[in-house]
């Protein structure tokens, strides 16, 4: 099953859930996805918050001189798709860890699909510890970022409230 759970107003954000069952409960192998196109404004706002003013993000000539096609989106801004995906499906989740491997550059205007796949789930008291494979793809096919995350989930029931996206 591959179903679209919501389409958000700007048209640049899509949320998807893919599962072998329709139970609405997270299982090993389930994949949660969201799509985002990063804008100049996103890069500027992230730079203000992070104080990362590397010219590769703002100056095309610097980016070209460094061997890139154009200005880069901050890698950690792209990686922010992962906690967004997790928290939008599991409000109250605690993001415990994340490893990241940057594979290919992301430029302003690229459509990025963030994907979180459940690879192990263990119950611990009244919560669940989930190990997750994390990946981002450019234009749906080129791997630009991957890694693994751990999150403590309050429940395995998937939240589908589009107001949380």
């Amino acid at each position: 099953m591959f179903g679209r759970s919501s389409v958000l107003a700007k048209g640049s954000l899509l949320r998807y859930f893919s599962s072998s069952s329709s139970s609405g409960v997270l299982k090993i192998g389930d994949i949660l996805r969201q799509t985002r196109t990063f804008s100049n404004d996103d890069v500027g706002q992230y730079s203000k918050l992070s104080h990362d003013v590397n010219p590769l993000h703002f100056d095309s000539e610097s980016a070209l001189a460094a061997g890139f096609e154009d200005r880069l989106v901050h890698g950690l801004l792209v990686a922010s798709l992962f906690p967004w995906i997790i928290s939008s499906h599991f409000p109250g989740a605690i993001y415990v860890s994340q490893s990241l491997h940057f594979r290919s550059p992301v430029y302003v205007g690229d459509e990025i699909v963030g994907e979180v796949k459940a690879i192990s789930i263990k119950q611990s008291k009244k919560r669940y510890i989930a190990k997750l494979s994390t990946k981002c793809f450019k234009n749906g096919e080129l791997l630009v970022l991957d890694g693994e995350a751990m999150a403590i989930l309050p429940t395995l029931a998937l939240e589908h409230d589009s107001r949380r996206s």
Side-chain angles (χ1 to χ4, degrees):
M1 177 179 106
F2 184 80
R4 184 170 40 174
S5 61
S6 64
V7 178
L8 305 178
K10 286 187 177 180
S12 64
L13 308 172
L14 297 174
R15 190 164 103 168
Y16 299 97
F17 168 64
S18 177
S19 175
S20 57
S21 73
S22 59
S23 67
V25 175
L26 184 69
K27 294 178 181 58
I28 293 172
D30 284 351
I31 299 171
L32 307 170
R33 294 183 181 95
Q34 291 197 358
T35 299
R36 171 106 190 235
T37 300
F38 292 98
S39 68
N40 285 319
D41 189 48
D42 294 328
V43 170
Q45 288 183 32
Y46 182 83
S47 177
K48 286 178 187 175
L49 289 171
S50 68
H51 301 283
D52 181 346
V53 293
N54 187 326
L56 297 177
H57 304 297
F58 300 100
D59 180 39
S60 294
E61 289 181 24
S62 294
L64 290 169
F68 296 104
E69 294 174 17
D70 204 349
R71 296 174 302 110
L72 302 172
V73 175
H74 298 80
L76 290 178
L77 177 56
V78 177
S80 72
L81 284 172
F82 305 137
W84 178 40
I85 293 167
I86 294 166
S87 68
S88 69
H89 286 284
F90 303 100
I94 301 167
Y95 207 70
V96 178
S97 68
Q98 174 74 60
S99 66
L100 297 171
H101 305 279
F102 299 96
R103 306 292 183 184
S104 189
V106 174
Y107 304 107
V108 172
D110 285 344
E111 181 180 87
I112 303 299
V113 177
E115 177 179 290
V116 173
K117 179 178 181 179
I119 54 179
S120 84
I121 302 169
K122 296 182 180 168
Q123 188 167 3
S124 177
K125 299 183 183 179
K126 293 182 180 181
R127 298 190 278 180
Y128 300 87
I129 300 170
K131 184 175 183 181
L132 307 158
S133 168
T134 55
K135 297 180 181 182
C136 284
F137 298 93
K138 184 189 307 190
N139 302 322
E141 56 188 48
L142 177 65
L143 180 67
V144 296
L145 176 62
D146 66 351
E148 285 189 353
M150 294 286 283
I152 299 171
L153 308 177
T155 179
L156 295 179
L158 290 158
E159 173 74 40
H160 293 286
D161 184 352
S162 63
R163 294 172 295 173
R164 297 193 181 278
S165 296

